[in-house]
Amino acid sequence: MERLDSTQVYANAWMTVREDRIRRHDGSPGIYGVIDKPDYALVIPLDGERLMLVEQYRYPLGLRRWEFPQGTAPDRAVLPPGELAARELREETGLIAATMTPIGTLDVAAGMSSQRGHVYLATNLTQGPPARELEEQDMRAAWFPRATFESMIRTSDITDAQTVAAYTQLLLHEHHASA
């Protein structure tokens, strides 16, 4: 496909939305609506057989949801993924990781968004105070045994697609490390 032109139709501190006029491979015209957001980091805090999750209110769903710490830099800033991962971990949980291992990349919604996620495994953790953003003031963090975490996925207490996909990347990382 070829982009013929692009018009920004909306912008705020977290994202822009654009409409692209395109030409398909067969020459016919079309349009794409695209949500542009900076890349995010998702962090899996692991302490032995425990995983730390955060719970927060997700406005579009109208629900509180458990998920791994994750996010972008303020004002659509672009940060190196490892720096962003350490920042999100510290901000949301207060944890500082002596070891941050990149274990994968995720595409959030490739049919409509340019945003990509960088998944990190955080180990050798030290607890400090969180430094949450205004939208995260009601966030809470808690440790869960792996068996409980997996049960929460099965019972739909964890429905965040990035969290479920990142856990799969963790399992593959561990399987590869033990092979």
Side-chain angles (χ1 to χ4, degrees):
M1 276 184 245
E2 174 188 7
R3 181 168 51 177
L4 303 174
D5 68 27
S6 185
T7 304
Q8 182 176 297
V9 295
Y10 177 78
N12 66 27
W14 299 277
M15 67 180 181
T16 62
V17 178
R18 68 178 205 264
E19 184 173 280
D20 292 352
R21 213 167 43 86
I22 60 146
R23 183 180 359 254
R24 294 183 187 96
H25 295 293
D26 69 358
S28 64
I31 62 167
Y32 258 97
V34 179
I35 301 165
D36 286 317
K37 293 184 77 168
D39 286 1
Y40 71 95
L42 180 148
V43 184
I44 303 172
L46 179 64
D47 179 38
E49 284 298 305
R50 301 183 313 158
L51 300 161
M52 181 172 277
L53 301 174
V54 295
E55 184 201 46
Q56 63 183 315
Y57 182 76
R58 288 302 193 178
Y59 179 83
L61 297 176
L63 299 168
R64 294 188 66 78
R65 305 309 308 153
W66 285 104
E67 58 197 42
F68 286 130
Q70 58 190 288
T72 61
D75 300 317
R76 297 193 316 257
V78 176
L79 294 177
E83 182 180 327
L84 182 58
R87 181 185 179 282
E88 286 299 314
L89 180 65
R90 185 176 56 256
E91 179 183 288
E92 294 186 4
T93 68
L95 292 171
I96 297 170
T99 307
M100 285 284 246
T101 306
I103 63 169
T105 304
L106 299 172
D107 293 326
V108 176
M112 67 178 155
S113 177
S114 62
Q115 187 178 43
R116 303 193 88 193
H118 304 277
V119 180
Y120 283 81
L121 173 61
T123 54
N124 303 312
L125 302 162
T126 303
Q127 184 67 59
R132 298 183 178 129
E133 296 175 355
L134 287 176
E135 292 82 11
E136 300 169 335
Q137 294 305 308
D138 69 339
M139 180 181 280
R140 63 185 181 128
W143 289 102
F144 292 90
R146 277 190 189 222
T148 302
F149 174 83
E150 291 175 3
S151 176
M152 291 169 74
I153 293 171
R154 282 192 303 277
T155 60
S156 295
D157 291 311
I158 295 174
T159 57
D160 177 62
Q162 287 74 240
T163 294
V164 175
Y167 187 64
T168 300
Q169 289 181 330
L170 172 64
L171 295 174
L172 293 170
H173 171 78
E174 291 171 335
H175 177 73
H176 179 73
S178 68

